[in-house]
Amino acid sequence: MQASRARLFKEYKEVQREKLADPDIQLACDDSNIFKWTALIKGPSETPYEGGVFQLAFAVPEQYPLQPPQVRFLTKIFHPNVHFKTGEICLDILKNAWSPAWTLQSVCRAIIALMAHPEPDSPLNCDSGNLLRSGDIRGFHSMARMYTRLAAMPKKG
Amino acid sequence: MGSDSITCAPAPALPKDLVKKKRTNRLAKLKQSKLDVRREQWLSQVKDKGCKMDSNGRGKSPSSPMQITNERNRSLDNMEMRSRGGENKDLRIHDSDLESLMNSPSGSILDLNDSKNSGSSSSSSYSGSVSEEEIDDDCLDDWEAVADALNANDNQPNSPSDSPAKPDVRVESPGPDLANKNQGDDLLKTEIRIPRSNSNCRAWRPDDTFRPQSLPNLSKQHSFPMTTSDWHCGRGAITWAWQSIIPQPSSCPICYEDLDVTDSSFLPCSCGFRLCLFCHKKILEADGRCPGCRKQYDSENGDVSFTGGVTTIRVAQSCCMNGRS
């Protein structure tokens, strides 16, 4: 408990210090609870998510960093490895491949990488996964693009 | 051995510096020129009867005089034989062996005591002898010069932290050969140093190859990051050992706490991922996988291995030794 708090505090300081180091990630801690974090990540370029800003919610367990943080998308996203309704993310490093050497910042980076390289073989969003697995890249792209515009980009007018 | 001539350069300068310090301490009681002349005279004498002076001088040193004198006498005999034989090359080898011995905890008791004395008392004995022997006496003055030279020599192999400016001297075996080449002063030093090596060289021959591994630990205890890089120059094995240690993080990547001495010599996984002992234990209690490579920690590695099997013991012992001295 105390260890996780100390570690999170140090991560917080690290984030404050390197705020400009990674312009694609904005990581912020809840004002009243250091175990609740939110992050804003930019959709990677040359993907249907480009131009969108996606919000992530981190729930850090007390056993952190021995246990991985629970991360989900608050912004709706059409992606084979993200649950369309709950925003749950299927990512190995958030499950069994977690390593205590990872940080919240590096988790954000991993999620950005996942957005650029979906894994349709372990889908949480079956529709999305099926589109990709059937080779309908264009269909997947337009669906993902549509939802990015709808949910992740500032509304016009 | 080729590098000796370079690395040993600072060695002759040391005793003179120390003497200078003392001079200022003693105010104007002894004028510098006078002292120089005396020292010259005395040094020429020492060439003949230096051994006696040496052992006498040693007897006066503040800590455990018996042991040291014994060792000196014994080794001085050796020295005489050796130096008359003129086997300088042979001696040089022993000398390097000796220094490896200094760094290692498993040296003889004599040696251990000696190194402790010189390490701890090197500074105090200077001031002590100065204040005690304020008497304007030629003999004592001369003896102080001897003591300086002795202490200087003692310092070189034993306590690198005393002289950060010349870290190489210690590792590279301050060469008696160089001293021989140099001025008359150095003859004295050579004579003094040789006995120490002769008295101990045998015990260390076989372990010589392991010596480098114990060096980094010592240096870490003294925490002299500046000197360490110079230390191992020209020693393949040490360089190798250091390369694996130098890039290590200064804080534990898991808890972000600073790594202490024990932690920084703690290498639980072959992938080289370092972490503090606390986190390692916690991970063992949890899933027991290395955070760096996600492989299971070996069960045998569970009982704390420090950068390799053989050195494990060494580290521990050198720690103890250091604590006592």
Side-chain angles (χ1 to χ4, degrees), chain B residues 182-199:
Chain B
N182 281 350
Q183 324 93 345
D185 306 33
D186 297 333
L187 254 176
L188 166 67
K189 269 179 280 156
T190 320
E191 286 175 1
I192 291 158
R193 193 176 311 157
I194 288 163
R196 309 187 82 240
S197 58
N198 284 341
S199 61

Side-chain angles (χ1 to χ4, degrees), chain A residues 12-70:
Chain A
Y12 177 76
K13 281 202 281 191
E14 194 92 340
V15 165
Q16 299 299 98
R17 193 153 50 84
E18 296 179 5
K19 223 163 194 174
L20 301 173
D22 199 338
D24 293 341
I25 301 171
Q26 274 185 40
L27 199 54
C29 171
D30 192 293
D31 286 337
S32 58
N33 187 353
I34 203 170
F35 292 100
K36 300 279 181 215
W37 291 62
T38 54
L40 292 176
I41 56 174
K42 282 186 191 163
S45 58
E46 293 172 32
T47 67
Y49 313 107
E50 185 173 359
V53 175
F54 298 85
Q55 192 177 4
L56 299 170
F58 288 77
V60 184
E62 288 187 353
Q63 291 81 24
Y64 181 83
L66 295 183
Q67 302 260 310
Q70 293 170 344

Side-chain angles (χ1 to χ4, degrees), chain B residues 193-214:
Chain B
R193 193 176 311 157
I194 288 163
R196 309 187 82 240
S197 58
N198 284 341
S199 61
N200 298 313
C201 59
R202 297 294 172 204
W204 262 86
R205 278 278 199 184
D207 291 9
D208 206 23
T209 48
F210 294 120
R211 179 175 74 90
Q213 294 176 355
S214 67

Side-chain angles (χ1 to χ4, degrees), chain B residues 238-249:
Chain B
I238 316 176
T239 315
W240 174 82
W242 268 102
Q243 274 168 353
S244 64
I245 293 167
I246 282 173
Q248 71 177 315

